[in-house]
Amino acid sequence: MNVLIIGAGGREYSIGMALKKDEKVDRLYFAPGNGATDELGENLDISDFNALADFCEKNNIELTIVGPEAPLVAGIVDVFEARGLNIFGPSAEASQLEGSKIFMKNFLARHNVPTAKYIETDSIEDAYRFIMTLDAPIVVKADGLCGGKGVIIAQTHDEAKKAVGEMLSGDSFGDAGKSIVVEEFLDGYELSVFALCDGEDYVVLPAAQDHKRLLNEDKGPNTGGMGAYAPTPLVNDEIYKKLDERVIVPTLEGMKAEGMPFKGVLFIGVMVVDNEPIVLEYNVRFGDPECEELMPLIKSSLLDLFYKGATNDLKSLEIEFYDKYAVGVVMASKDYPYKSSAPAEIIVDDIVHDEIFAEHAHISYAGVTRGDEGKLYATGGRVLVCVGLGDTIAEAQQRAYLLVGQVHFAGKQCRTDIAYQAL
Ligand code: AMP
Ligand code: GLY
C-alpha cells in the first residue's frame, strides 16, 4: 500500500521510519517532509488540500496520516473524505478539541470529564473577579492555537491580571487570545496519553512523559518538548482504568452524541493529582517528541493500526507492544527556543550505522535541511531526536545518550536528565 504522511517534523519522520519496516507498505510520501524524510520516501511540495487529494488519486495512495494540528483544524480530513479518500485524523469540527480551549473546556464540563476549575471569558472584569477567587499560581490560556505558547502560569494574582490584559487586548497572541480561559493550577505529575480512535472504538498506547522545559530539572522556558520516555511506571492499572472510564469513554461518546465522532489520535494531557487523572488539555494528534518513542514500541502492524483507524475497523485489531522502554532525547539548535540559529552541518559518527547499535538506538530527524552533496544541516529549533530502546528505562536512557554522543553540530544543546522521573 502507498501511504502519504502530512507534516515535517521528527514525529512524521518516526511514523515513516516505523511504517517503512512494515512489509505491506510500498511507497511512502511526505508533504512537505524534511531534509531527511527523503531517505524514507518522496517529499512533495504540495500544500493545497485538493491538490494533495489529486496526487493521492493519481498515485494510488490508499492511506494518508496527518501529523500536525494545523491542517486538521483547517479541514484536510473533510476535503479528503468528501472525495472518498482514506485519511487518519479528525474532522475540522472534531479538531476543535485542540483548536479552541474554550470549546474543549465547555465540552469537558458538559460531559463531566474531570478538569481544572475555570471560566471562559472575553471580559477583563469577569477574569479579574475569577482570579481573586483562586489561590496563586493561576493559569491563563489563550483560546486559539498559539504553537504551544498560549499558556501562562502566573505566580501571583497581579501577574495573572497582567497576562489577562495582554491577551484580551490582542497584544500577546492576536485574535487567538481575544477569548481566554482562566483556571486553577493543578499540582501533580503530567502524563501524555494517546488513544487511537476510529469514531467508534479505540486503543490506548502506553503512557509517556514529556519534558517541556528547556533545562535539566525542569528549569528554564517551556519548549515544544525536549525529550520523552514511555511507558512510564508512574501509571498503574488503576489510573489507566480511571482514564478509560472517566475520560476516554465519555469523551468519545460525547463527541458522537454531538454529531462529530472522533477519528484519529486523541492526545490527552493529564495531570495526576492524588492518584486522580485530571484533563489539562486535548490535542488531536501525536505529541512530538512522544511519537518518536511510541512508534518503536508498537509490535503489531502499524499500517493495520492506522488503516483500521481510518476505516472504522479498530475493533478487529489486536494491538501488541514490545516489552521494552524507549527514551528520546531532543537535540536542539543553539538559540532554541528564543530565535533561529545559523545552519550547522550535522555529522554522525560511523558507529551509528553499525547494525547492533542501530538495533537499540536510532535518530528521528526533525529540523533538518539537505544541502549540497547530500549533507544534512540543522536548520530548525528542534533538530533531531536520539531514541534509545532497552529492557529497562535506565538501559534505554543510556543508549539514547550514547547516540547523542555520536551526533555533532555547532551549538547543539540537549537535556541530560530525560526520564529522570522514572529513575
Ligand atoms: P497546555 O497547552 O494546555 O498543555 O499547557 C501547557 C502546559 O502548561 C501543560 O503541559 C502544563 O505543564 C501546564 N499547565 C496547563 N494547565 C495547567 C494547570 N491547570 N495546572 C498546572 N499546569 C498547567
Ligand atoms: N510534546 C507535546 C506536544 O506535542 O504538544
Side-chain angles (χ1 to χ4, degrees), residues 163-234:
V164 163
E166 285 171 1
M167 278 189 200
L168 288 180
S169 66
D171 282 351
S172 38
F173 301 110
D175 284 347
K178 288 265 164 88
S179 294
I180 59 169
V181 169
V182 180
E183 70 181 25
E184 69 175 320
F185 178 80
L186 299 174
D187 195 7
Y189 62 88
E190 239 177 298
L191 301 175
S192 300
V193 177
F194 300 90
L196 276 58
C197 316
D198 69 1
E200 200 67 46
D201 296 289
Y202 64 94
V203 294
V204 180
L205 304 187
Q209 275 202 302
D210 183 17
H211 301 58
K212 292 208 164 85
R213 302 296 195 95
L214 182 69
L215 305 173
N216 283 358
E217 294 170 29
D218 295 324
K219 302 223 164 87
N222 256 328
T223 70
M226 293 300 289
Y229 73 96
T232 170
L234 300 180

Coordinates of all heavy atoms in Angstrom, one line a residue, residues 163-234:
A163 N -1.4 39.1 32.5 CA -1.5 38.2 31.4 C -2.8 38.3 30.7 O -3.0 38.3 29.5 CB -1.2 36.7 31.8
V164 N -3.9 38.4 31.5 CA -5.2 38.5 31.0 C -5.3 39.8 30.2 O -5.9 39.8 29.0 CB -6.3 38.6 32.2 CG1 -7.6 39.2 31.7 CG2 -6.4 37.2 32.8
G165 N -4.8 40.9 30.7 CA -4.9 42.2 30.0 C -4.2 42.1 28.6 O -4.7 42.5 27.6
E166 N -3.0 41.5 28.6 CA -2.2 41.4 27.4 C -2.9 40.5 26.4 O -2.8 40.8 25.2 CB -0.8 40.9 27.7 CG 0.0 42.0 28.3 CD 1.4 41.5 28.8 OE1 1.7 40.3 28.7 OE2 2.1 42.4 29.4
M167 N -3.5 39.4 26.8 CA -4.2 38.5 25.9 C -5.4 39.2 25.3 O -5.6 39.2 24.1 CB -4.6 37.2 26.6 CG -3.4 36.2 26.7 SD -4.0 34.6 27.2 CE -2.5 33.9 27.8
L168 N -6.3 39.7 26.2 CA -7.6 40.2 25.7 C -7.4 41.5 24.8 O -8.2 41.7 23.9 CB -8.5 40.6 26.9 CG -9.0 39.4 27.7 CD1 -9.9 39.8 28.8 CD2 -9.8 38.4 26.7
S169 N -6.3 42.2 25.0 CA -6.1 43.4 24.1 C -5.6 42.9 22.8 O -5.5 43.7 21.9 CB -5.1 44.3 24.8 OG -3.8 43.6 24.9
G170 N -5.2 41.6 22.6 CA -4.7 41.1 21.4 C -3.2 41.3 21.3 O -2.6 41.0 20.3
D171 N -2.6 41.9 22.3 CA -1.2 42.2 22.3 C -0.3 41.0 22.3 O 0.7 40.9 21.6 CB -0.7 43.1 23.5 CG -1.1 44.5 23.3 OD1 -1.6 44.9 22.2 OD2 -1.0 45.3 24.3
S172 N -0.7 40.0 23.0 CA 0.3 38.8 23.1 C 0.0 37.8 22.0 O 1.0 37.2 21.5 CB 0.3 38.2 24.5 OG -1.0 38.2 25.1
F173 N -1.3 37.5 21.7 CA -1.5 36.4 20.8 C -2.5 36.8 19.7 O -3.0 35.9 19.0 CB -2.0 35.1 21.5 CG -1.0 34.7 22.6 CD1 -1.3 34.8 23.9 CD2 0.2 34.1 22.2 CE1 -0.4 34.3 24.9 CE2 1.1 33.7 23.1 CZ 0.8 33.8 24.5
G174 N -2.7 38.1 19.4 CA -3.6 38.5 18.4 C -5.0 37.9 18.6 O -5.4 37.8 19.8
D175 N -5.7 37.5 17.5 CA -7.0 37.0 17.7 C -7.2 35.8 18.5 O -8.2 35.5 19.1 CB -7.7 36.8 16.3 CG -8.0 38.1 15.6 OD1 -8.1 39.1 16.4 OD2 -8.3 38.1 14.4
A176 N -6.1 34.9 18.5 CA -6.1 33.7 19.3 C -6.4 33.9 20.8 O -6.8 33.1 21.5 CB -4.9 32.9 19.1
G177 N -6.0 35.2 21.2 CA -6.1 35.5 22.6 C -7.3 36.4 23.0 O -7.4 36.9 24.1
K178 N -8.2 36.6 22.0 CA -9.3 37.6 22.2 C -10.4 37.0 23.2 O -11.2 37.7 23.8 CB -9.9 38.0 20.9 CG -9.0 38.9 20.1 CD -9.4 40.4 20.4 CE -8.3 41.4 19.9 NZ -8.4 41.8 18.5
S179 N -10.3 35.6 23.3 CA -11.1 35.0 24.4 C -10.1 34.1 25.1 O -9.2 33.6 24.6 CB -12.2 34.1 23.8 OG -13.2 34.8 23.1
I180 N -10.4 34.0 26.4 CA -9.4 33.3 27.2 C -10.1 32.3 28.2 O -11.3 32.3 28.4 CB -8.6 34.3 28.1 CG1 -9.5 35.1 29.0 CG2 -7.7 35.1 27.2 CD1 -8.7 35.9 30.0
V181 N -9.3 31.4 28.7 CA -9.7 30.6 29.8 C -8.8 30.9 31.0 O -7.5 31.0 30.8 CB -9.5 29.1 29.5 CG1 -9.6 28.2 30.7 CG2 -10.5 28.7 28.4
V182 N -9.4 31.1 32.2 CA -8.6 31.3 33.4 C -8.9 30.1 34.2 O -10.1 29.7 34.4 CB -9.0 32.6 34.2 CG1 -8.1 32.7 35.4 CG2 -8.8 33.8 33.3
E183 N -7.9 29.4 34.8 CA -8.2 28.2 35.5 C -7.2 28.0 36.7 O -6.2 28.6 36.8 CB -8.2 27.0 34.6 CG -6.9 26.5 34.1 CD -7.0 25.3 33.2 OE1 -8.1 25.0 32.6 OE2 -6.0 24.6 33.1
E184 N -7.7 27.1 37.6 CA -6.9 26.8 38.8 C -5.6 26.0 38.4 O -5.7 25.3 37.4 CB -7.7 26.0 39.8 CG -8.0 24.6 39.3 CD -8.7 23.7 40.3 OE1 -8.4 23.8 41.5 OE2 -9.6 22.9 39.9
F185 N -4.6 26.2 39.1 CA -3.3 25.5 38.9 C -3.5 24.1 39.6 O -3.9 23.9 40.7 CB -2.2 26.3 39.6 CG -0.9 25.6 39.4 CD1 -0.1 25.7 38.2 CD2 -0.3 24.9 40.5 CE1 1.1 25.1 38.1 CE2 0.9 24.3 40.3 CZ 1.6 24.4 39.2
L186 N -3.1 23.1 38.8 CA -3.1 21.7 39.3 C -1.7 21.3 39.6 O -0.8 21.4 38.8 CB -3.7 20.7 38.3 CG -5.1 21.0 37.9 CD1 -5.6 20.1 36.8 CD2 -6.1 20.8 39.1
D187 N -1.5 20.8 40.8 CA -0.2 20.4 41.3 C -0.1 18.9 41.3 O -0.7 18.2 42.2 CB 0.1 21.0 42.7 CG 1.6 20.9 43.0 OD1 2.4 20.6 42.1 OD2 1.9 21.3 44.2
G188 N 0.7 18.3 40.4 CA 0.8 16.8 40.3 C 1.8 16.5 39.3 O 2.7 17.3 39.1
Y189 N 1.7 15.3 38.8 CA 2.7 14.9 37.7 C 1.9 14.8 36.4 O 0.8 14.3 36.4 CB 3.6 13.7 38.0 CG 2.8 12.4 38.3 CD1 2.6 11.6 37.2 CD2 2.4 12.0 39.5 CE1 1.9 10.4 37.4 CE2 1.8 10.8 39.7 CZ 1.5 10.0 38.7 OH 0.9 8.8 38.9
E190 N 2.6 15.1 35.3 CA 2.0 15.2 34.0 C 2.2 13.9 33.2 O 3.3 13.3 33.2 CB 2.5 16.4 33.2 CG 1.5 17.4 32.8 CD 2.1 18.6 32.1 OE1 2.9 19.3 32.8 OE2 1.7 18.8 31.0
L191 N 1.2 13.5 32.4 CA 1.3 12.3 31.5 C 0.8 12.8 30.1 O 0.0 13.6 30.0 CB 0.3 11.2 32.0 CG 0.5 10.6 33.3 CD1 -0.7 9.6 33.5 CD2 1.8 9.9 33.5
S192 N 1.4 12.1 29.1 CA 0.8 12.2 27.8 C 0.2 10.8 27.5 O 0.9 9.8 27.4 CB 1.9 12.5 26.8 OG 2.6 13.7 27.1
V193 N -1.1 10.8 27.3 CA -1.8 9.6 27.0 C -2.4 9.7 25.6 O -3.0 10.7 25.3 CB -2.9 9.3 28.1 CG1 -3.7 8.1 27.7 CG2 -2.3 9.2 29.4
F194 N -2.3 8.6 24.8 CA -2.8 8.7 23.4 C -3.8 7.5 23.2 O -3.5 6.4 23.5 CB -1.6 8.5 22.5 CG -0.6 9.6 22.6 CD1 0.5 9.5 23.5 CD2 -0.7 10.8 21.9 CE1 1.4 10.5 23.6 CE2 0.2 11.8 22.1 CZ 1.2 11.7 22.9
A195 N -5.0 7.9 22.7 CA -6.0 6.9 22.3 C -6.1 7.1 20.8 O -6.4 8.2 20.3 CB -7.3 7.2 23.1
L196 N -5.9 6.0 20.1 CA -6.2 6.0 18.7 C -7.6 5.5 18.4 O -8.0 4.5 18.9 CB -5.2 5.0 18.0 CG -3.8 5.7 17.7 CD1 -3.1 6.2 18.9 CD2 -2.9 4.7 16.9
C197 N -8.4 6.4 17.7 CA -9.8 6.2 17.7 C -10.3 6.1 16.2 O -9.7 6.8 15.4 CB -10.5 7.4 18.3 SG -9.8 7.9 19.9
D198 N -11.3 5.3 16.0 CA -11.9 5.2 14.6 C -13.3 5.8 14.5 O -14.0 5.6 13.6 CB -11.8 3.8 14.1 CG -12.8 2.9 14.9 OD1 -13.5 3.4 15.7 OD2 -12.8 1.7 14.6
G199 N -13.7 6.6 15.6 CA -15.1 7.1 15.6 C -16.0 6.3 16.5 O -17.0 6.8 16.9
E200 N -15.6 5.0 16.7 CA -16.4 4.1 17.4 C -15.6 3.4 18.5 O -15.9 3.5 19.7 CB -16.9 3.0 16.4 CG -18.1 2.3 16.8 CD -19.4 3.1 16.8 OE1 -19.6 3.9 15.9 OE2 -20.1 3.0 17.8
D201 N -14.5 2.8 18.1 CA -13.6 2.1 19.0 C -12.3 2.8 19.2 O -12.0 3.7 18.4 CB -13.4 0.6 18.5 CG -14.7 -0.1 18.5 OD1 -15.2 -0.5 19.6 OD2 -15.3 -0.3 17.4
Y202 N -11.5 2.3 20.1 CA -10.2 3.0 20.4 C -9.2 2.0 20.9 O -9.6 1.0 21.5 CB -10.4 4.2 21.3 CG -10.8 3.8 22.7 CD1 -9.9 3.6 23.7 CD2 -12.2 3.6 23.0 CE1 -10.3 3.2 25.0 CE2 -12.6 3.2 24.3 CZ -11.6 3.1 25.3 OH -12.0 2.7 26.5
V203 N -7.9 2.3 20.8 CA -6.8 1.6 21.5 C -6.0 2.6 22.2 O -5.8 3.7 21.7 CB -5.9 0.7 20.6 CG1 -6.7 -0.4 20.0 CG2 -5.3 1.5 19.5
V204 N -5.5 2.3 23.4 CA -4.7 3.2 24.2 C -3.3 2.8 24.1 O -3.0 1.6 24.3 CB -5.2 3.3 25.7 CG1 -4.4 4.2 26.5 CG2 -6.7 3.7 25.7
L205 N -2.4 3.7 23.9 CA -0.9 3.4 23.8 C -0.4 3.5 25.2 O -0.9 4.2 26.1 CB -0.2 4.3 22.8 CG -0.7 4.3 21.4 CD1 0.2 5.1 20.5 CD2 -0.9 2.9 20.8
P206 N 0.8 2.9 25.5 CA 1.5 3.1 26.8 C 1.7 4.6 27.1 O 2.1 5.3 26.2 CB 2.8 2.4 26.6 CG 2.7 1.5 25.4 CD 1.6 2.1 24.6
A207 N 1.4 5.0 28.3 CA 1.5 6.4 28.7 C 3.0 6.9 28.7 O 3.9 6.1 29.0 CB 0.9 6.6 30.1
A208 N 3.2 8.1 28.2 CA 4.5 8.7 28.1 C 4.6 9.9 29.0 O 3.6 10.4 29.5 CB 4.8 9.1 26.7
Q209 N 5.8 10.3 29.3 CA 6.1 11.6 29.9 C 7.0 12.5 29.0 O 8.0 12.0 28.6 CB 6.7 11.5 31.3 CG 5.7 11.2 32.4 CD 6.2 11.5 33.8 OE1 7.2 11.0 34.2 NE2 5.5 12.4 34.5
D210 N 6.5 13.7 28.9 CA 7.3 14.7 28.0 C 8.1 15.6 29.0 O 7.8 15.6 30.2 CB 6.2 15.5 27.3 CG 6.9 16.5 26.3 OD1 8.0 16.4 26.0 OD2 6.1 17.4 25.9
H211 N 9.1 16.2 28.5 CA 9.9 17.2 29.3 C 9.8 18.5 28.6 O 10.6 18.8 27.7 CB 11.3 16.7 29.4 CG 11.5 15.4 30.0 ND1 10.9 14.3 29.5 CD2 12.2 15.0 31.1 CE1 11.2 13.2 30.3 NE2 12.0 13.6 31.3
K212 N 8.9 19.4 29.0 CA 8.6 20.6 28.3 C 9.6 21.7 28.5 O 9.8 22.6 27.6 CB 7.2 21.1 28.6 CG 6.1 20.2 28.2 CD 4.8 20.9 27.9 CE 3.8 20.1 27.1 NZ 3.0 19.2 27.8
R213 N 10.3 21.7 29.6 CA 11.2 22.8 29.9 C 12.5 22.6 29.2 O 13.0 21.5 29.0 CB 11.4 23.0 31.4 CG 10.2 23.2 32.2 CD 9.5 24.5 31.8 NE 8.5 24.9 32.8 CZ 8.8 25.7 33.9 NH1 10.0 26.3 34.0 NH2 7.8 25.9 34.8
L214 N 13.2 23.7 28.9 CA 14.5 23.7 28.2 C 15.6 23.0 28.9 O 16.4 22.3 28.4 CB 14.9 25.1 27.8 CG 16.1 25.3 27.0 CD1 15.9 24.8 25.6 CD2 16.6 26.7 27.0
L215 N 15.6 23.2 30.3 CA 16.8 22.8 31.0 C 16.6 21.7 32.0 O 15.4 21.4 32.3 CB 17.4 24.0 31.8 CG 17.6 25.3 31.0 CD1 18.0 26.5 31.8 CD2 18.7 25.0 30.0
N216 N 17.7 21.0 32.4 CA 17.6 20.0 33.4 C 16.8 20.4 34.6 O 16.7 21.5 34.9 CB 19.0 19.6 33.9 CG 19.7 18.7 32.8 OD1 19.2 18.4 31.8 ND2 20.9 18.4 33.2
E217 N 16.2 19.4 35.3 CA 15.4 19.6 36.5 C 14.2 20.4 36.2 O 13.6 21.1 37.1 CB 16.2 20.2 37.6 CG 17.3 19.3 38.1 CD 18.3 20.0 39.1 OE1 17.8 21.0 39.7 OE2 19.4 19.6 39.1
D218 N 13.7 20.4 34.9 CA 12.5 21.2 34.5 C 12.6 22.6 34.9 O 11.7 23.3 35.4 CB 11.3 20.6 35.2 CG 11.0 19.2 34.6 OD1 11.3 18.9 33.4 OD2 10.6 18.3 35.4
K219 N 13.8 23.2 34.6 CA 14.0 24.6 34.7 C 14.0 25.3 33.3 O 14.1 24.6 32.3 CB 15.3 24.9 35.4 CG 15.4 24.2 36.8 CD 16.1 25.2 37.8 CE 15.8 24.7 39.2 NZ 16.9 23.7 39.7
G220 N 14.0 26.6 33.3 CA 14.0 27.3 32.0 C 12.7 27.4 31.4 O 11.7 27.0 31.9
P221 N 12.6 28.0 30.2 CA 11.3 28.3 29.5 C 10.7 27.0 28.9 O 11.4 26.0 28.8 CB 11.7 29.2 28.3 CG 13.2 28.9 28.1 CD 13.8 28.5 29.4
N222 N 9.4 27.1 28.7 CA 8.7 26.0 28.0 C 9.2 25.9 26.6 O 9.5 26.8 25.9 CB 7.2 26.3 28.0 CG 6.5 25.4 29.1 OD1 6.9 24.3 29.4 ND2 5.4 25.9 29.6
T223 N 9.2 24.6 26.1 CA 9.5 24.4 24.7 C 8.5 23.5 24.1 O 7.5 23.1 24.8 CB 10.9 23.6 24.6 OG1 10.7 22.3 25.1 CG2 12.0 24.3 25.4
G224 N 8.7 23.1 22.9 CA 7.8 22.1 22.3 C 8.0 20.7 22.9 O 7.1 19.8 22.8
G225 N 9.0 20.5 23.7 CA 9.3 19.2 24.3 C 10.8 18.9 24.1 O 11.2 18.9 22.9
M226 N 11.6 18.6 25.1 CA 13.0 18.4 25.0 C 13.3 16.9 25.1 O 14.5 16.5 25.1 CB 13.8 19.2 26.1 CG 13.7 20.7 25.9 SD 14.4 21.2 24.3 CE 16.1 21.0 24.6
G227 N 12.3 16.1 25.3 CA 12.6 14.6 25.4 C 11.4 14.0 26.0 O 10.5 14.6 26.6
A228 N 11.3 12.7 25.9 CA 10.2 11.9 26.4 C 10.6 10.5 26.6 O 11.6 10.0 26.1 CB 9.0 12.0 25.5
Y229 N 9.8 9.8 27.4 CA 10.0 8.3 27.5 C 8.7 7.6 27.7 O 7.7 8.3 28.1 CB 11.0 8.1 28.7 CG 10.3 8.2 30.0 CD1 9.8 7.1 30.7 CD2 10.2 9.5 30.6 CE1 9.2 7.3 31.9 CE2 9.6 9.6 31.8 CZ 9.1 8.5 32.5 OH 8.5 8.7 33.7
A230 N 8.7 6.3 27.4 CA 7.5 5.5 27.6 C 7.9 4.1 27.6 O 9.0 3.7 27.1 CB 6.6 5.7 26.4
P231 N 7.1 3.2 28.3 CA 6.0 3.5 29.1 C 6.5 4.1 30.4 O 7.6 3.7 30.9 CB 5.3 2.2 29.3 CG 6.0 1.2 28.6 CD 7.3 1.8 28.1
T232 N 5.7 5.0 31.0 CA 6.1 5.5 32.3 C 5.5 4.6 33.5 O 4.4 4.2 33.5 CB 5.7 6.9 32.6 OG1 5.9 7.3 33.9 CG2 4.2 7.2 32.2
P233 N 6.4 4.2 34.4 CA 6.0 3.4 35.5 C 5.1 4.2 36.5 O 4.6 3.6 37.5 CB 7.3 2.9 36.2 CG 8.3 4.0 35.8 CD 7.8 4.5 34.5
L234 N 4.9 5.5 36.3 CA 4.1 6.3 37.2 C 2.6 6.0 37.0 O 1.8 6.4 37.8 CB 4.4 7.7 37.0 CG 5.8 8.2 37.2 CD1 5.9 9.7 36.9 CD2 6.3 7.9 38.6

